[in-house]
Amino acid sequence: MPGTSSRELPSWNDCAAKTAIVAFVEGCTRDGPDFVAAPDRIATFDNDGTLWVEQPAPPQFDFLLRRWAQDAKDHPELASEQPYKAIVERDMAFFERLAVQDPAVVATLEKAMARSWAGTTPAAFEAEVRVWIDTIKQPRFGVGYTRLVYQPMLELFGYLKANDFRVFVCSGGGRDFMRVFAEETWGIHKENVIGSAADYAFTDGRLLRSDQLLGGLALGPGKPAHIFAQTGRLPVFAGGNADVDIEMLTVSSFSLLVNHDDADREFAYDKGAERSLAKAAELGWTVVSVRNDWATVFPRDGSPP
Amino acid sequence: MPGTSSRELPSWNDCAAKTAIVAFVEGCTRDGPDFVAAPDRIATFDNDGTLWVEQPAPPQFDFLLRRWAQDAKDHPELASEQPYKAIVERDMAFFERLAVQDPAVVATLEKAMARSWAGTTPAAFEAEVRVWIDTIKQPRFGVGYTRLVYQPMLELFGYLKANDFRVFVCSGGGRDFMRVFAEETWGIHKENVIGSAADYAFTDGRLLRSDQLLGGLALGPGKPAHIFAQTGRLPVFAGGNADVDIEMLTVSSFSLLVNHDDADREFAYDKGAERSLAKAAELGWTVVSVRNDWATVFPRDGSPP
């Protein structure tokens, strides 16, 4: 293992995944058949389950459900409508239909998002996310969600940046939600965050959120499309952990798939990742075992990279 | 004039505009009331008439008209339809209605763009723009259009970057058109180019251009909306030259307006800039006189910054 990478990826055990990462990056940066010109060195990473804990539910879900529970409390007439009804009645089966992108469920969530934020400014939304970051604790670990970023992935960001990669996050989750904490948590600028987003209009001197999405959801085939729109390229290095990352991982030269197999330190599950794990075996993607490959899972002090 | 700025902006004469630029940038970067944290240092620039020559017509127009003239030749039945009819008949009045965003004219152009490129890959479009860059000469100066970038603006990009600004271009023109030459001409990455763009879909393993715009045109109020979508912020430094830049210049802390008043070395005109010049006077924007403030207009050797 070359010295540089060992120094820069200290939370990675010596393992096949680390060896593959280092070999790929060294190939990209060294004269030879695998050299990649610096402008083309785009790395993209999914967020939920790739950069931070997504169990028992994706963190943004916690944010949304709290807001909509409050809306249902303030406006009792909403309690008969979805998704408020499911929240009030704790009908988790309703939300599980979101995971499979049931169009009817997705539509109620889009409508609820528009109801909560259409016509508001970016600053109002950012302030609301900021309160959530600063006050809400993840139920199992008892710390704020942004403290549950994966330390090995932050080190990977640093290693890639040190080798002139430009690192982007591309998540089906909310672009503007992630941008609130991207700089302090990931050490990447807001413009390096790609995700599902509402369209905004500039009206009477202010940006106001519309009730429409800008482009589609950044999920599945939406990931390469959103990445191209933002960067003008497709990634040469991509990391994900789920079936909705398959297209992004397929277009990339190097593909990393995080396998959640550590019930002690994090969670063990493959629900929603069955097809991606099969694709990894079929196409020779690099699979990362949380249990075996990561010496440390979370940052010790929650400080930024 | 501090030494640094004089060294870095050699093509700018000592003038009020240069003094204002340097004072603003030094205020942003120095402890004090005008300090701007590095993550917020976003600079955005219009392209046509701000970064390169836009007379007798915006360069992308030359690219489009050549393509559509060829289409009309290959498919004679198109000659009775707009915009092909206007091209065949050299009816320039038709295209002048584009400058005022006549919706009927804009619609015919969108339809013609979809006819030319819907269903094609990014690589096919890029190759077509590349041929245009490498072979077509601007009629007055007899060199390729990308040689007619303004040297003082390239130096301003360098000066801003040296002070930890991230420089973006935001043009009503085509995002994917500009991204072909952005890196070699402006020294900024493709992801720092914002513009009007077709939506793309990832289908059967390939990105294919759709016949729809992604978001609206990046003109007028579309500029702050597109800049926010791409960067998550509004600019603190903005440069433009026309009425369609007013909204972008208004949201920025520092606003630079290029006034084309040099018929000898470039062009002298204020058509399409009347309102922006009035706004500049009203709001105290920094107006740059090409004739008086720029010692050099074009790079001597066309080399990148």
Side-chain angles (χ1 to χ4, degrees), chain A residues 45-58:
Chain A
F45 292 86
D46 168 58
N47 178 27
D48 297 316
T50 301
L51 300 181
W52 70 358
V53 169
E54 66 171 350
Q55 295 293 342

Side-chain angles (χ1 to χ4, degrees), chain A residues 3 41-42 70 82 85 91 93 105 119 123 160 174 195 221 238 250 263-264 269:
Chain A
R41 291 184 205 156
I42 297 276
Q70 187 61 47
Q82 292 295 20
K85 186 168 183 290
D91 169 16
V105 175
L160 290 167
T250 304
D264 293 336
Y269 61 99

Side-chain angles (χ1 to χ4, degrees), chain A residues 15-291:
Chain A
C15 61
K18 180 172 172 173
T19 302
I21 291 167
V22 172
F24 179 78
V25 170
E26 292 188 346
C28 287
T29 54
R30 188 175 48 204
D31 276 345
D34 300 326
F35 179 76
V36 174
D40 290 325
R41 291 184 205 156
I42 297 276
T44 59
F45 292 86
D46 168 58
N47 178 27
D48 297 316
T50 301
L51 300 181
W52 70 358
V53 169
E54 66 171 350
Q55 295 293 342
Q60 191 178 358
F61 219 64
D62 178 294
F63 169 77
L64 292 171
L65 294 195
R66 286 173 193 274
R67 166 69 198 240
W68 292 336
Q70 187 61 47
D71 287 353
K73 213 165 161 184
D74 296 344
H75 304 276
E77 71 279 11
L78 291 175
S80 59
E81 279 177 39
Q82 292 295 20
Y84 310 97
K85 186 168 183 290
I87 294 169
V88 170
E89 297 174 357
R90 298 180 181 280
D91 169 16
M92 287 305 121
F94 176 82
F95 293 106
E96 279 171 18
R97 287 161 55 201
L98 179 67
V100 293
Q101 296 184 59
D102 181 322
V105 175
V106 171
T108 69
L109 299 191
E110 285 181 6
K111 198 175 151 201
M113 288 209 197
R115 191 190 172 284
S116 298
W117 294 294
T120 65
T121 64
F125 184 73
E126 176 156 350
E128 210 170 320
V129 178
R130 172 57 57 198
V131 167
W132 175 85
I133 291 169
D134 290 345
T135 59
I136 302 301
K137 311 288 187 213
Q138 201 270 0
R140 170 168 164 194
F141 294 99
V143 298
Y145 284 93
T146 59
R147 296 282 300 274
L148 297 171
V149 64
Y150 302 134
Q151 175 66 20
M153 297 305 263
L154 296 180
E155 293 169 8
L156 180 54
F157 278 24
Y159 177 59
L160 290 167
K161 290 199 275 187
N163 285 282
D164 290 333
F165 280 80
R166 288 155 359 255
V167 174
F168 291 81
V169 172
C170 177
S171 169
R175 178 195 75 192
D176 297 334
F177 177 79
M178 295 183 285
R179 283 179 174 176
V180 178
F181 57 84
E183 291 173 354
E184 67 205 32
T185 303
W186 298 326
I188 64 174
H189 283 304
K190 291 185 179 193
E191 62 261 32
N192 289 42
V193 176
I194 304 165
S196 303
D199 201 6
Y200 279 77
F202 188 74
T203 312
D204 298 333
R206 292 192 311 167
L207 281 171
L208 297 177
R209 184 163 159 158
S210 79
D211 59 0
Q212 299 293 313
L213 276 175
L214 178 66
L217 293 172
L219 275 177
K223 291 205 177 201
H226 274 261
I227 291 166
F228 174 75
Q230 184 77 12
T231 71
R233 292 184 160 90
L234 292 175
V236 293
F237 191 115
N241 78 307
D243 297 348
V244 292
D245 300 318
I246 287 174
E247 287 83 354
M248 177 175 75
L249 295 168
T250 304
V251 299
S252 183
S253 309
F254 186 85
S255 309
L256 196 74
L257 190 75
V258 177
N259 183 22
H260 293 274
D261 57 1
D262 191 334
D264 293 336
R265 295 187 302 170
E266 202 236 2
F267 293 94
Y269 61 99
D270 63 5
K271 193 172 173 187
E274 300 90 342
R275 286 177 43 237
S276 59
L277 285 162
K279 268 284 188 212
E282 178 195 336
L283 299 176
W285 295 345
T286 296
V287 177
V288 175
S289 158
V290 172
R291 187 177 53 197

Side-chain angles (χ1 to χ4, degrees), chain B residues 60-70 83 87 92 95:
Chain B
Q60 192 178 358
F61 219 63
D62 179 294
F63 169 77
L64 292 171
L65 294 196
R66 286 173 193 274
R67 165 72 198 238
W68 292 337
Q70 188 61 47
I87 294 169
M92 288 304 122
F95 294 105

Side-chain angles (χ1 to χ4, degrees), chain B residues 288-302:
Chain B
V288 174
S289 160
V290 171
R291 187 177 52 197
N292 299 322
D293 296 348
W294 287 355
T296 306
V297 178
F298 303 117
R300 279 175 212 284
D301 59 359

